[in-house]
Amino acid sequence: MKKFILPALLLITAMITSCNTTKKLYEAKEYDQIIMKEAPKVCSGRIQPKKIDLISASYHEANQADHERIQALKSTGNPDVWPEIFERYCSMKGRNDALACFPNEIKKRINYTRLNLDEELQMSRNKAEAFLAASINQTLGSANPDLDNADRMIRQLEGINKENSHLNGFKVKSISKRYGDIGRLMHVEVFKKEIGPNRDETVSFKETKNDFTATVTDHKLSKEATVKGKVNFIDPSNKRMLFSMPYEVSSKFEHNYSTVEGSLEACSEQTLQGLKQKPVPFPTDESLINDAKQNLINLIYQMIQ
């Protein structure tokens, strides 16, 4: 019997300590920490009534605080409030999702309702992105930009949407402002090269005029190469990676010309103009790849400009 006394005491001590820790978090208004710490336990079936009450109170008080703050921010009419509004909607959704796996009887007990915040999240995300993009662009475009503030806003924009179409351009432009000539910072890696076949697409038709006849064949030559990889921007002084950007660039060759069998007297003016274009050889694979790489360089400098 004595063998079970120590483990039992340890278990009771651990439960008391755990409850006290959760209560202290509640008193400190660390509501989200309580939910992150305790909600998974409830979902897995480890239900402690005292902690359910603390989770419930934390959930409702945190959501109420966020709701009131969102309304206050919206009432200002200022565009700079939208990043915070988006973050608060994300917090509300996160809490709601964390409690979604609770047993139904506990959901009723804590007055849990499944929230649909998709529309609010999308609207606030769009406005937050628009505000940050405009602010970053304005900051980087100034004569003496505050680059630390620009980088802070870039990180904030990335946190809201990693796929934002302006994000890579802002990063490249910030690096160019801070380090100068960006060419010495770039290291281009190629992962994959795709080179299409030589294509000669033809369409033939007849033309007649008076007693003359001709068969006209229009040729469309094409060939395409695509290069995929990433560009690493590296600080030359300490070899520290500043930023890595994936890329996919293409180069496409196209040429149109026409040939005629028969009398030129039968040809229309449009066909005669087309005959002025002569056949040309297809470009080599290497030249298309080099053109694609040049397109990458042009793209990077467009970002800076």
Side-chain angles (χ1 to χ4, degrees):
M1 185 70 178
K2 291 181 180 178
K3 294 182 180 179
F4 297 97
I5 294 176
L6 184 58
L9 287 174
L10 289 175
L11 179 60
I12 293 170
T13 302
M15 291 177 63
I16 293 172
T17 302
S18 178
C19 287
N20 287 340
T21 301
T22 305
K23 187 176 181 181
K24 287 179 180 178
L25 287 173
Y26 179 78
E27 291 170 350
K29 298 185 178 181
E30 298 289 350
Y31 303 132
D32 286 334
Q33 285 195 41
I34 292 172
I35 291 171
M36 287 191 299
K37 178 174 177 283
E38 301 297 342
K41 298 177 184 177
V42 178
C43 293
S44 65
R46 290 179 287 167
I47 299 170
Q48 298 180 38
K50 289 184 178 180
K51 289 189 177 180
I52 293 295
D53 292 339
L54 288 172
I55 293 171
S56 175
S58 298
Y59 173 76
H60 290 295
E61 290 189 36
N63 276 355
Q64 183 62 29
D66 278 342
H67 175 73
E68 291 176 358
R69 177 63 176 164
I70 288 170
Q71 297 309 310
L73 289 170
K74 285 182 177 180
S75 68
T76 66
N78 297 328
D80 60 352
V81 302
W82 288 104
E84 182 180 347
I85 290 175
F86 173 72
E87 290 174 4
R88 288 184 177 270
Y89 274 131
C90 285
S91 295
M92 293 176 71
K93 184 179 187 304
R95 291 184 207 108
N96 199 247
D97 290 346
L99 273 59
C101 57
F102 278 19
N104 288 333
E105 62 272 17
I106 293 180
K107 287 181 180 178
K108 291 179 181 178
R109 172 180 164 183
I110 67 175
N111 194 27
Y112 170 87
T113 303
R114 185 70 175 174
L115 300 177
N116 184 359
L117 297 172
D118 291 348
E119 186 175 340
E120 289 84 353
L121 277 167
Q122 188 60 53
M123 177 193 67
S124 58
R125 182 199 299 272
N126 291 343
K127 292 191 175 184
E129 287 188 58
F131 165 74
L132 287 170
S135 298
I136 295 166
N137 194 52
Q138 183 179 20
T139 300
L140 292 177
S142 63
N144 296 298
D146 183 345
L147 294 177
D148 289 339
N149 185 45
D151 288 344
R152 179 191 62 78
M153 290 189 291
I154 289 171
R155 289 192 298 271
Q156 194 173 11
L157 178 60
E158 186 171 27
I160 291 173
N161 183 8
K162 292 181 180 180
E163 304 300 323
N164 184 277
S165 60
H166 302 290
L167 194 57
N168 285 338
F170 288 147
K171 289 182 179 181
V172 171
K173 192 168 186 177
S174 176
I175 290 172
S176 71
K177 292 280 187 178
R178 191 181 293 275
Y179 293 92
D181 180 15
I182 202 166
R184 66 191 181 94
L185 308 175
M186 290 192 300
H187 176 261
V188 179
E189 292 186 53
V190 176
F191 298 155
K192 189 175 184 180
K193 300 176 183 178
E194 296 177 342
I195 302 172
N198 297 344
R199 296 184 182 278
D200 183 359
E201 299 174 82
T202 61
V203 176
S204 296
F205 55 92
K206 289 188 179 295
E207 288 191 341
T208 59
K209 186 186 294 183
N210 300 328
D211 294 330
F212 300 102
T213 303
T215 299
V216 181
T217 301
D218 288 339
H219 294 257
K220 180 180 179 181
L221 307 181
S222 64
K223 184 177 182 178
E224 186 171 9
T226 300
V227 181
K228 300 178 182 179
K230 69 176 180 178
V231 181
N232 299 319
F233 296 88
I234 301 172
D235 188 336
S237 64
N238 56 19
K239 306 303 180 184
R240 180 173 64 92
M241 177 75 75
L242 301 171
F243 165 50
S244 184
M245 179 184 74
Y247 71 85
E248 179 177 331
V249 289
S250 298
S251 176
K252 189 169 185 178
F253 161 78
E254 285 188 349
H255 180 71
N256 298 301
Y257 71 96
S258 299
T259 58
V260 171
E261 292 182 2
S263 175
L264 293 178
E265 297 293 332
C267 296
S268 65
E269 185 63 31
Q270 182 178 355
T271 296
L272 293 174
Q273 290 296 321
L275 291 173
K276 294 179 180 180
Q277 296 292 329
K278 302 302 180 182
V280 297
F282 285 96
T284 64
D285 295 352
E286 183 180 3
S287 65
L288 272 182
I289 292 294
N290 288 336
D291 284 346
K293 290 179 179 178
Q294 185 60 49
N295 290 340
L296 171 63
I297 294 171
N298 295 340
L299 174 64
I300 291 171
Y301 279 96
Q302 284 174 12
M303 291 178 177
I304 298 172
Q305 297 165 4

